[in-house]
Amino acid sequence: MMSSILIVEDDITFGMMLKTWLGKKGFEVSSVSNIARARKHIESQSVDLVLSDLRLPDHEGIDLLKWMNEQGMDPLIIMTGYADIQSAVQAMKLGARDYIAKPVNPEELLKKISECLQSGETPATHNTAKSSSKKGSSTSSKDSTENNRAYLEGESDAAKQLSLIHI
């Protein structure tokens, strides 16, 4: 059975590139652009993992994390282009599985997704109770060095133009 991932991202281009890439990696992927739609999606469909941007139009990814905790749901990975220590610590204390800075290294993200899904945790469905989670991961320096060079690139003219801009 394919694992299902919900992407909560207000940058439509980045969200679609991520959705397409994860779909090609064998995941069932849905995408929404705000917290309200994410809540509706999670309440109506089973989701194994949520990838949420930190800053969204209606609320922050931290608010979604708090709501998921109240509902007994897990796991969530926060992605942000505005990485800072305070928000990372807050996210991890609230139970986020990881905190990833943009631009996203796709191989690193894939590794973190696999770790979350294979950790034996209960999927984030609307009827599950939250279980304890292990946080953190170990990466060899060789893997880290190789992965720092591989970033997600689109093939369209628009994606090539976007690659010239640092998100």
Side-chain angles (χ1 to χ4, degrees):
M1 185 173 163
M2 291 192 327
S3 295
S4 62
I5 296 175
L6 174 63
I7 299 169
V8 186
E9 173 62 64
D10 61 330
D11 179 339
I12 304 302
T13 304
F14 177 72
M16 288 303 296
M17 285 181 9
L18 193 57
K19 179 179 178 179
T20 302
W21 182 74
L22 289 171
K24 289 179 180 179
K25 295 294 182 181
F27 296 101
E28 182 181 315
V29 186
S30 300
S31 181
V32 296
S33 60
N34 62 43
I35 300 294
R37 289 185 181 142
R39 287 181 182 183
K40 286 181 183 177
H41 182 89
I42 292 168
E43 289 175 334
S44 67
Q45 297 180 32
S46 175
V47 176
D48 296 311
L49 175 66
V50 177
L51 296 174
S52 178
D53 191 7
L54 180 63
R55 294 187 182 176
L56 293 157
D58 57 347
H59 294 285
E60 292 208 347
I62 296 291
D63 296 321
L64 178 60
L65 179 59
K66 289 176 184 176
W67 178 81
M68 288 177 65
N69 286 339
E70 290 168 5
Q71 305 302 310
M73 297 177 210
D74 167 274
L76 181 136
I77 295 175
I78 295 282
M79 304 179 295
T80 185
Y82 305 96
D84 65 70
I85 294 171
Q86 184 177 1
S87 62
V89 169
Q90 181 184 18
M92 299 305 280
K93 281 184 176 180
L94 289 170
R97 287 298 191 83
D98 222 314
Y99 186 97
I100 300 172
K102 293 178 187 175
V104 173
N105 176 325
E107 294 306 318
E108 180 181 339
L109 177 60
L110 188 60
K111 181 180 178 188
K112 290 175 187 285
I113 289 171
S114 296
E115 288 172 356
C116 280
L117 296 174
Q118 294 175 2
S119 69
E121 292 298 322
T122 308
T125 59
H126 53 281
N127 292 324
T128 60
K130 185 174 180 179
S131 57
S132 63
S133 64
K134 292 183 180 178
K135 295 180 186 75
S137 62
S138 60
T139 305
S140 73
S141 59
K142 180 182 176 189
D143 289 344
S144 179
T145 303
E146 289 175 5
N147 288 339
N148 284 337
R149 289 184 238 142
Y151 287 92
L152 183 62
E153 287 188 44
E155 296 179 15
S156 70
D157 290 337
K160 289 176 183 174
Q161 289 176 347
L162 284 173
S163 70
L164 301 175
I165 302 170
H166 295 307
I167 299 175

